[in-house]
Amino acid sequence: MDAQGRGRADDIDPADQWVLNPSTGEYELRLTPSAPQSAVPRPRRATAAAAGARAAGGGTSARSASAGTDTREIPDTLPGPRRRRGTPEEDPLPGRRGGRGRTKPKKSTGKRILVWTGGTLAFVLVGVTGAAYLYYQHLNNNIQKISDDGAGTGGFSKDRAINLLVIGTDKRTGAGNGSYGDKDSVGHADTTILLHVSKDRTNATAMSIPRDMIVDIPECPTTQEDGSTKDIAATPNVRFNTSLGQYGRTPSCTMRTVEELTGIKSDHFMVADFNAVKTLSTAIGGVEVCLEKDIKDSKSKLDLTAGKHTIEGEEALAFLRTRYSVGLGSDLSRIELQQQFLSSMIRQMKSKDTLTDPTKVLDLAEAATSALSVDSKISDIKVLASLGQEVGKVKTKNITFTTVPVVDNTDGATVLPTPGKAEQLFQTIRNDVSLTEVKKQQKEKEAAKLKGSRADASEVRVNVYNGGAKAGSAQSTLSWLQNDVGVTKSSQLGNADKTLKKTTLAYDPDQADQARKLADLMGLSASALKPGKGNSETNSQGLPSMVLTLGEDFKGAGVPLSGGSAADLDVQKNTADKEKCAS
């Protein structure tokens, strides 16, 4: 796009308006009162799809023209520089060097907006350097804000981990979307991802939550359109996707449901509908996907041959809605497509230097902010930029996609969180443990490993007591030990004499090899092990047996108390730097 198309004079290069901010050491686009008056752009109508076509370097294609995106009016007058009275039009702009051979300052990529979007949760890092502030108020007006009703933490922080809930709704708003099934849908949580960014910003985990998973939805105080608050009653044993839309529930209720399920409190949420996928995929010039076989899905209308394809607009939406022609034909298979799409989008954004191109940045910012609904605490470009800057510190190879482990429910149509495995994943995220085994964390885990030999599981003898854990924990642990990990010489002896804050394993020194084996199996830290002469007791066969007392910190059979090693975490996972073909 030329300079005039963005409200600048014909002879002004956007990159020449970057100046150094001495406070931050970064270059920014400064439009100060001393700058000459820029040309006022002519009124025009532009769709996000058209903006994407321009960013790709061409006109609007037939495919993007048919994407059915909303047409929005760009303001006749956008925020721009004002010329001092009596200052000649020819005066150079601040930061611009006169004459030929002037040096353009390096564009900054420090400020980024993380835009997580889509009825299928397409998300993308959109670079908003100083150039985006040209449209500051305009972009702010694009963003739809919704109250979090106190369900969030109140705000992310630069000195702790960040949890962002990304909700894709199936609401058929926008031109052309009424033909996708239930055109009157109230907008359920069709696809949801909990993004966890580590405290040290070395890694991030994007955990998909299946829409058909059975959960308990808690009571939700919800702000209504008239500003009043309505308490929506709790609903046990229902599909996760009904946490939004049903009975007037808003995204804040989805936040509360995720916290109820995982024990993780989100800082913020972002929501978008079908149009977000279409507008953003078009704005970046399409997203490359890979298929192992031909796909022709009559329901999603996707028709692609095996191999690599670059898709955008309606075709991108069709790809992300496809479920019956891939994998087992379930929503879980569709989640894999979504994760493949999002990984590819991240790689494309970083490899093609999109974030350092001011013109593309403006087009992307326009498309992205128009596609978003966010909680009111981050409904400002500056706050979003700060959030994006934190997320942008994570390298692509350390962004891991995973899904809540589930098992089929008895009805054949829904799923349930897998006992043990799901809680183990939740605890790994709560404990800020990387799923990509970043070197620093790996070294810490190696140093913490218990040294010495291990007994075989069949040789481990242990008596289990409940010393403050949830009722039934001792029995469920016994069942897990005997049936899942082969500790057949174990017994459950009821409640301990006293309540313990922490789980302990007491044993005689000559049982150290058994203790190390059980610590490995249960994810016990070295501090949980209590060696000492006379610490063991006899079991039902009269043989010396270790004493395992489950404390208040115990979360469930098979759930490591130390947070566990991500390398041993038995869940589906793949990183954003790896290309994966749909099968």
Side-chain angles (χ1 to χ4, degrees):
M1 179 179 292
D2 60 17
Q4 188 175 11
R6 278 296 180 189
R8 303 179 181 89
D10 295 87
D11 63 341
I12 298 175
D13 187 327
D16 292 337
Q17 301 183 59
W18 294 77
V19 296
L20 180 66
N21 183 335
S23 300
T24 65
E26 295 181 348
Y27 284 98
E28 299 176 357
L29 183 64
R30 289 289 181 83
L31 304 176
T32 66
S34 61
Q37 177 66 47
S38 64
V40 177
R42 292 171 295 178
R44 61 186 179 90
R45 287 187 178 273
T47 64
R54 289 192 298 275
T60 304
S61 66
R63 180 167 54 188
S64 63
S66 63
T69 54
D70 286 329
T71 301
R72 293 181 169 84
E73 186 74 38
I74 301 298
D76 293 358
T77 303
L78 296 172
R82 291 188 295 177
R83 178 167 51 91
R84 293 195 306 267
R85 185 173 298 176
T87 304
E89 286 274 324
E90 292 74 24
D91 277 0
L93 290 171
R96 180 176 180 180
R97 298 182 181 179
R100 296 182 182 276
R102 62 183 181 270
T103 303
K104 297 178 182 179
K106 182 180 178 181
K107 308 178 188 81
S108 169
T109 57
K111 300 271 180 142
R112 293 184 173 115
I113 288 180
L114 174 69
V115 181
W116 295 74
T117 60
T120 52
L121 293 186
F123 65 83
V124 60
L125 285 171
V126 177
V128 177
T129 55
Y133 291 105
L134 175 65
Y135 288 121
Y136 177 73
Q137 193 58 51
H138 171 64
L139 294 177
N140 269 352
N141 290 339
N142 281 349
I143 301 172
Q144 300 291 319
K145 60 183 179 180
I146 305 171
S147 174
D148 73 351
D149 298 312
T153 62
F156 72 94
S157 172
K158 292 184 178 182
D159 58 1
R160 62 176 174 80
I162 296 172
N163 293 299
L164 177 66
L165 190 64
V166 189
I167 308 168
T169 171
D170 60 1
K171 195 169 185 177
R172 271 66 168 172
T173 52
N177 293 326
S179 60
Y180 295 121
D182 181 10
K183 64 186 175 91
D184 298 319
S185 172
V186 294
H188 301 98
D190 190 52
T191 309
T192 303
I193 291 178
L194 177 63
L195 171 67
H196 172 84
V197 182
S198 67
K199 178 180 178 179
D200 62 10
R201 307 298 187 252
T202 61
N203 65 91
T205 299
M207 181 179 70
S208 294
I209 303 175
R211 67 174 191 176
D212 294 326
M213 186 169 63
I214 297 300
V215 297
D216 294 332
I217 299 178
E219 180 178 329
C220 300
T222 306
T223 301
Q224 305 299 297
E225 290 186 5
D226 62 3
S228 62
T229 299
K230 176 183 178 183
D231 290 334
I232 302 175
T235 311
N237 299 316
V238 291
R239 278 181 168 89
F240 174 82
N241 70 338
T242 60
S243 65
L244 177 66
Q246 206 78 15
Y247 307 117
R249 293 182 178 120
T250 66
S252 66
C253 194
T254 306
M255 291 180 85
R256 296 183 194 277
T257 303
V258 170
E259 183 178 3
E260 180 89 1
L261 171 69
T262 66
I264 301 168
K265 192 177 186 71
S266 299
D267 296 303
H268 303 286
F269 66 75
M270 293 184 177
V271 186
D273 60 18
F274 284 3
N275 273 352
V277 173
K278 297 193 287 188
T279 57
L280 281 177
S281 61
T282 302
I284 64 171
V287 176
E288 185 179 273
V289 296
C290 176
L291 306 180
E292 287 187 358
K293 64 178 183 179
D294 296 350
I295 293 182
K296 189 169 185 177
D297 193 297
S298 60
K299 292 186 180 293
S300 70
K301 306 297 189 296
L302 182 67
D303 188 357
L304 290 176
T305 57
K308 293 183 178 180
H309 300 269
T310 298
I311 59 176
E312 63 182 67
E314 294 284 352
E315 195 168 37
L317 181 59
F319 179 84
L320 290 164
R321 294 186 67 245
T322 297
R323 63 185 289 188
Y324 297 105
S325 301
V326 292
L328 300 175
S330 68
D331 187 55
L332 298 178
S333 298
R334 177 160 56 186
I335 286 175
E336 292 183 13
L337 285 186
Q338 294 162 0
Q339 293 178 352
Q340 176 195 338
F341 183 91
L342 301 180
S343 295
S344 178
M345 184 174 279
I346 291 175
R347 292 195 302 272
Q348 177 175 334
M349 292 295 292
K350 296 210 172 188
S351 65
K352 293 189 177 181
D353 294 327
T354 306
L355 299 181
T356 62
D357 185 326
T359 302
K360 286 186 179 180
V361 164
L362 291 173
D363 287 329
L364 286 165
E366 180 74 37
T369 54
S370 298
L372 277 178
S373 295
V374 302
D375 74 74
S376 55
K377 293 184 176 64
I378 53 171
S379 59
D380 182 276
I381 291 296
K382 291 181 181 178
V383 180
L384 282 171
S386 180
L387 173 60
Q389 186 178 25
E390 294 303 302
V391 178
K393 294 176 182 177
V394 182
K395 294 181 179 179
T396 306
K397 66 179 182 179
N398 292 329
I399 300 174
T400 306
F401 288 91
T402 189
T403 304
V404 176
V406 294
V407 293
D408 288 336
N409 199 2
T410 54
D411 60 9
T414 58
V415 293
L416 298 169
T418 304
K421 282 187 181 181
E423 175 55 33
Q424 185 178 356
L425 175 59
F426 303 154
Q427 186 176 16
T428 298
I429 296 174
R430 288 198 301 266
N431 290 347
D432 201 23
V433 176
S434 169
L435 295 189
T436 53
E437 297 297 337
V438 178
K439 288 183 180 179
K440 176 182 176 183
Q441 292 180 317
Q442 182 63 29
K443 288 179 181 179
E444 291 174 349
K445 292 191 182 89
E446 291 294 334
K449 282 185 176 179
L450 297 170
K451 301 186 181 300
S453 61
R454 267 75 169 161
D456 187 84
S458 62
E459 299 172 353
V460 174
R461 296 187 299 273
V462 61
N463 292 340
V464 184
Y465 293 87
N466 190 332
K470 185 173 63 175
S473 293
Q475 182 58 47
S476 63
T477 299
L478 178 68
S479 177
W480 175 76
L481 288 171
Q482 293 183 340
N483 300 322
D484 293 348
V485 295
V487 182
T488 54
K489 297 175 182 177
S490 50
S491 306
Q492 189 273 108
L493 299 179
N495 293 329
D497 294 334
K498 60 181 180 179
T499 298
L500 300 180
K501 291 288 185 182
K502 303 287 186 180
T503 296
T504 63
L505 177 61
Y507 58 95
D508 279 345
D510 62 359
Q511 296 171 317
D513 57 343
Q514 294 184 41
R516 285 189 286 265
K517 180 62 178 182
L518 190 59
D520 289 344
L521 294 172
M522 296 191 64
L524 298 176
S525 64
S527 62
L529 274 57
K530 307 297 180 185
K533 194 66 176 175
N535 277 358
S536 67
E537 61 185 28
T538 57
N539 63 11
S540 57
Q541 286 79 41
L543 298 173
S545 180
M546 298 184 295
V547 179
L548 174 66
T549 306
L550 307 178
E552 293 178 343
D553 62 336
F554 185 76
K555 300 299 181 183
V559 180
L561 287 166
S562 62
S565 168
D568 300 325
L569 191 61
D570 186 17
V571 296
Q572 165 270 328
K573 54 185 176 180
N574 56 279
T575 53
D577 63 322
K578 299 293 193 303
E579 180 180 290
K580 186 177 180 180
C581 295
S583 58

